Amino acid sequence: MQASAFTRTVITVSLDGQTAEEAINQIVSQVSSGSPDRPWTWWRDGGVDPNEIVSLNLAGGSAAQAMTQLTRPLGWEAFPIPGVLLVGRPEWIDRTLGTLVSSAKPESVDLQWPRGTSSTMALSAVLSKAENRRLKLQDGSSEEATGVRWLPHDVWPEGKLQKVDPWHVASLMLSEFQMAARRGTPLARLRSRDESLPDGVQFVEATDTDWKDVKFLMNYPMEDGEAEVRRAVQSVDATASFRSGRDPKSRKTTLRVHTIPAGHRAALAAHWNAAPAPAQIAASGREATYDLKLLNKPADEVLSQFAGAAGKQLTIDDDAKLRSQTLVSLDAAKQTLSQLAQTIALQANLKVDWGEQVVRVSLPLDQPGE
């Protein structure tokens, strides 16, 4: 059911010349801000370059559409597990899903470590949190990473994860070094008495492809497109199984899919593609707030996107059309579409009337036409 957070989040983005990391941060933060019961972060494939330059223009679409349009030109994909969006190469996502271990009992923890933390300290923090022990992480070496010295050394960026399964995070950490835990291994077994590899951990060799055939179950919310999802999955896994039902909490229709990692990637892609545009776009556009960065865009183009996202019609007075082509830039956080429009209008020396159905752009009363 994790996919629904990205299909229901209405988003307006205009990105040009930003890095992929900056763009994904912006999209995921908007999903997180709209999901108070499920904060979101993302985990990047170590084999891709986060500094790839990207461009994206989307008005009033879903975060799922934004992520798809952003990652597809790079040859990447995105896949949500509880609280964490995996982003990277398709084969990396498949291997990560195929080796992912979940806690034996439902468990949810908050984890945080500062930039520059060593890999051993970060994993030790996960284990300590799961064991309800305190481990101070003021810097990367302030505490001894007891029992995890077997993990290869690396220096990690800042981490902040909320309401996540500790085994999921430990699995992701191991995957950074082509390692995986054996299923059924207690989390505490990731500690060893010396620097030798624990019995519960194994290397995933390049020749090892068992993870490709690991089947697991996921639920997908279905409003439309169930037939498309079934066909997409069966195209890569003819033995996949399906079961339609209803989510006990929301009572919405769901599709239970039991398939291999590549089958789930196909299911998600089909689900995101078939999902209807977020309901009540006009209302959502008026209520939602956005983090938005753009550079040297014509004001009329930007205002048109804002109006479209809010389900409104844009009209520009004849004497304001020339000035509306002024190039504008923006770096704003937590502003409504109306507030963003006023900021753009101020830069271009224009007046914007944000009406119920029409957004009118004109010259200020004391300004003559050009």
Side-chain angles (χ1 to χ4, degrees):
M1 295 295 290
Q2 305 307 316
S4 61
F6 290 82
T7 56
R8 69 168 180 255
T9 301
V10 183
I11 193 168
T12 291
V13 290
S14 182
L15 307 170
D16 190 9
Q18 288 184 249
T19 66
E21 182 174 30
E22 292 172 330
I24 296 170
N25 281 339
Q26 182 172 326
I27 295 170
V28 174
S29 68
Q30 290 198 39
V31 175
S32 188
S33 65
S35 307
D37 296 330
R38 165 59 72 197
W40 284 90
T41 186
W42 65 287
W43 194 281
R44 175 179 58 83
D45 171 9
V48 301
D49 183 2
N51 295 313
E52 290 270 11
I53 301 301
V54 298
S55 295
L56 174 65
N57 286 284
L58 182 66
S62 67
Q65 290 174 307
M67 283 303 307
T68 300
Q69 293 179 23
L70 178 70
T71 57
R72 184 179 296 157
L74 300 173
W76 307 353
E77 292 187 22
F79 195 97
I81 62 173
V84 183
L85 182 69
L86 307 178
V87 180
R89 298 162 296 167
E91 62 271 22
W92 174 83
I93 290 178
D94 286 353
R95 180 169 58 82
T96 301
L97 292 175
T99 57
L100 193 71
V101 177
S102 298
S103 296
K105 295 181 180 179
E107 193 170 359
S108 179
V109 300
D110 294 343
L111 293 162
Q112 188 169 357
W113 58 82
R115 180 179 180 180
T117 298
S118 68
S119 52
T120 53
M121 288 298 297
L123 179 57
S124 189
V126 175
L127 303 185
S128 297
K129 189 74 173 184
E131 296 162 355
N132 293 316
R133 295 172 56 240
R134 289 192 175 186
L135 181 69
K136 295 181 180 179
L137 285 173
Q138 302 302 323
D139 56 48
S141 59
S142 61
E143 296 281 345
E144 184 179 356
T146 306
V148 294
R149 294 293 182 185
W150 52 267
L151 193 68
H153 177 72
D154 198 8
V155 177
W156 290 45
E158 180 184 10
K160 185 176 182 180
L161 302 97
Q162 296 176 272
K163 297 184 178 181
V164 291
D165 183 328
W167 245 126
H168 285 174
V169 182
S171 296
L172 292 172
M173 290 178 167
L174 293 178
S175 73
E176 294 292 313
F177 305 102
Q178 284 71 56
M179 294 179 174
R182 292 184 172 87
R183 297 183 185 281
T185 300
L187 197 59
R189 292 283 181 88
L190 294 187
R191 297 189 188 276
S192 64
R193 295 182 179 179
D194 51 29
E195 295 185 10
S196 61
L197 197 69
D199 292 338
V201 177
Q202 59 188 344
F203 281 98
V204 181
E205 304 292 346
T207 55
D208 179 9
T209 58
D210 290 347
W211 48 267
K212 291 185 177 181
D213 299 318
V214 172
K215 290 197 173 187
F216 56 97
L217 181 71
M218 288 190 72
N219 286 343
Y220 297 87
M222 284 287 118
E223 296 180 47
D224 292 304
E226 180 173 332
E228 288 86 346
V229 171
R230 287 174 178 260
R231 281 196 295 269
V233 175
Q234 288 173 331
S235 69
V236 296
D237 179 15
T239 63
S241 59
F242 308 88
R243 183 178 178 180
S244 298
R246 288 189 180 276
D247 179 68
K249 293 183 179 180
S250 67
R251 304 305 300 165
K252 292 183 178 180
T253 302
T254 63
L255 181 65
R256 295 164 63 91
V257 182
H258 188 252
T259 185
I260 59 178
H264 281 294
R265 273 198 304 108
L268 181 76
H271 167 63
W272 276 5
N273 185 59
Q280 306 293 329
I281 284 181
S284 297
R286 286 194 296 270
E287 297 295 332
T289 59
Y290 302 90
D291 299 335
L292 189 61
K293 291 183 180 181
L294 54 89
L295 181 66
N296 294 333
K297 293 285 186 179
D300 56 353
E301 179 182 313
V302 177
L303 292 172
S304 177
Q305 289 184 344
F306 293 166
K312 304 176 187 293
Q313 178 184 354
L314 179 72
T315 64
I316 303 176
D317 289 0
D318 288 341
D319 58 356
K321 287 184 177 179
L322 181 59
R323 192 177 297 177
S324 71
Q325 297 172 21
T326 301
L327 298 181
V328 296
S329 299
L330 191 64
D331 186 351
K334 306 299 181 217
Q335 290 192 14
T336 64
L337 291 173
S338 175
Q339 291 171 327
L340 291 169
Q342 297 300 335
T343 301
I344 294 299
L346 184 64
Q347 284 190 45
N349 197 15
L350 293 166
K351 179 183 177 183
V352 170
D353 292 312
W354 192 266
E356 285 296 319
Q357 297 182 343
V358 176
V359 177
R360 182 190 172 196
V361 179
S362 60
L363 294 176
L365 293 178
D366 58 346
Q367 293 287 325
E370 297 178 64

